[in-house]
Amino acid sequence: MRKMWLDHTRVGLSVYDSNRQGYLTETELENYINDLLPGLCQLDGLEKSFHSFCTAVRKFLFFLDGARTNRIRILDILASTFLDDLLELRDEELSKEMQEQNWFSAPSALRIYGHYLNLDRNHNGMLSKTELASTLTKPFLDRVFQTCLTYGGEMDYKTYLDLVLALENRSEPQVLAFLFKILDIKECGYLDAFTLSYFFRAIQEQMKARSDQPVPFNDVKDELFDMVRPKDPEKNHLARFN
């Protein structure tokens, strides 16, 4: 039955592959998911104007388009569990707890979009550094805006979704690569003590502002290097984190 389902789904996805090369572009995947929505009863309560498909598509792109080409192999879509999670929303008796744990569900999509709207204090549909400053440290936020796609120095909803996916799935290899690029301020392919100290100083300042006892940087650095065990004792390469 699983093989039959995979074959049927592969054919269904291939219908949207306009170039017949085994890939779906972002727009083609949006069209596929948008056509699935009427059959997902757990999304019946959402307004049609709400881009739940945008929320869904970002997860596929973030985790399956590692090269950031804005297209995904159909075989990779089938090999992931994302379609299973999406189609789970056909279950009329899906519990509230299961819905809240499902990225594609209405409660999850509305939660994330609600946070975005709350942060957007000037209501222009974009997020500035100032609007995000309450959630992230300044050095990290500066790097996010340097490395991620922005428009006139502001972040749109799609980029915000990428950031949310990264912060909510920190142990995944794709997330580690995403965060490593942000932290690699010298763009040298590794993190050294100077780089770690640069970001950690802001965390120490936050702890002081909350009247917490700051953790000494050397303790954190030594623990991190002990866990990663880099070949070069002064450099942490991305491969050592995976």
Side-chain angles (χ1 to χ4, degrees):
M1 288 179 65
R2 178 67 178 174
K3 184 179 184 303
M4 289 176 62
W5 180 84
L6 287 170
D7 288 341
H8 176 76
T9 306
R10 179 179 58 80
V11 172
L13 288 165
S14 297
V15 170
Y16 295 82
D17 177 14
S18 60
N19 293 322
R20 298 293 184 266
Q21 295 181 344
Y23 291 84
L24 292 186
T25 64
E26 180 177 2
T27 300
E28 289 166 347
L29 185 57
E30 284 180 357
N31 292 336
Y32 172 76
I33 293 178
N34 202 30
D35 288 344
L36 282 181
L37 293 183
L40 306 179
C41 62
Q42 291 295 345
L43 298 179
D44 286 346
L46 282 179
E47 295 182 15
K48 291 185 178 180
S49 60
F50 181 74
H51 10 210
S52 58
F53 63 90
C54 172
T55 306
V57 169
R58 288 322 291 175
K59 184 164 187 176
F60 283 89
L61 287 169
F62 185 87
F63 287 103
L64 303 181
D65 179 24
R68 299 295 179 253
T69 60
N70 282 325
R71 65 175 193 168
I72 309 172
R73 284 201 320 161
I74 290 176
L75 290 178
D76 291 336
I77 295 174
L78 294 170
S80 74
T81 61
F82 300 154
L83 272 183
D84 294 308
D85 294 340
L86 182 61
L87 295 176
E88 185 179 59
L89 301 179
R90 295 179 300 186
D91 185 357
E92 295 181 359
E93 299 180 357
L94 191 65
S95 68
K96 182 179 179 181
E97 181 182 1
M98 293 294 291
Q99 289 186 56
E100 291 175 348
Q101 294 174 0
N102 190 320
W103 169 267
F104 305 107
S105 70
S108 177
L110 291 172
R111 170 182 62 84
I112 297 166
Y113 193 58
H115 287 169
Y116 184 82
L117 293 179
N118 288 334
L119 290 170
D120 182 20
R121 292 192 292 272
N122 63 1
H123 308 295
N124 70 342
M126 308 280 278
L127 297 182
S128 65
K129 285 185 186 180
T130 303
E131 289 170 327
L132 277 168
S134 61
T135 59
L136 300 167
T137 64
K138 184 180 183 304
F140 183 80
L141 196 55
D142 287 343
R143 284 294 295 167
V144 167
F145 275 77
Q146 287 172 11
T147 58
C148 296
L149 180 62
T150 56
Y151 301 88
E154 294 195 312
M155 179 184 296
D156 71 349
Y157 187 52
K158 289 184 177 181
T159 302
Y160 177 74
L161 287 173
D162 287 346
L163 187 61
V164 172
L165 282 165
L167 296 177
E168 291 187 354
N169 300 272
R170 301 185 194 189
S171 62
E172 297 296 327
Q174 298 90 341
V175 173
L176 291 175
F178 177 86
L179 295 176
F180 191 93
K181 182 179 179 181
I182 292 173
L183 297 177
D184 185 11
I185 54 177
K186 295 191 285 188
E187 299 183 358
C188 55
Y190 61 82
L191 306 181
D192 56 14
F194 172 83
T195 301
L196 297 175
S197 175
Y198 172 76
F199 288 102
F200 194 70
R201 283 197 300 269
I203 297 175
Q204 288 177 316
E205 291 301 319
Q206 282 188 341
M207 296 177 72
K208 290 178 182 178
R210 296 196 304 263
S211 299
D212 295 334
Q213 182 64 35
V215 178
F217 168 71
N218 284 334
D219 291 352
V220 175
K221 183 203 73 171
D222 292 343
E223 185 173 347
L224 177 61
F225 275 71
D226 287 344
M227 288 190 298
V228 177
R229 295 182 181 180
K231 293 181 180 180
D232 185 324
E234 301 298 326
K235 301 175 181 178
N236 284 298
H237 292 82
L238 174 60
R240 303 300 297 181
F241 288 90
N242 292 318

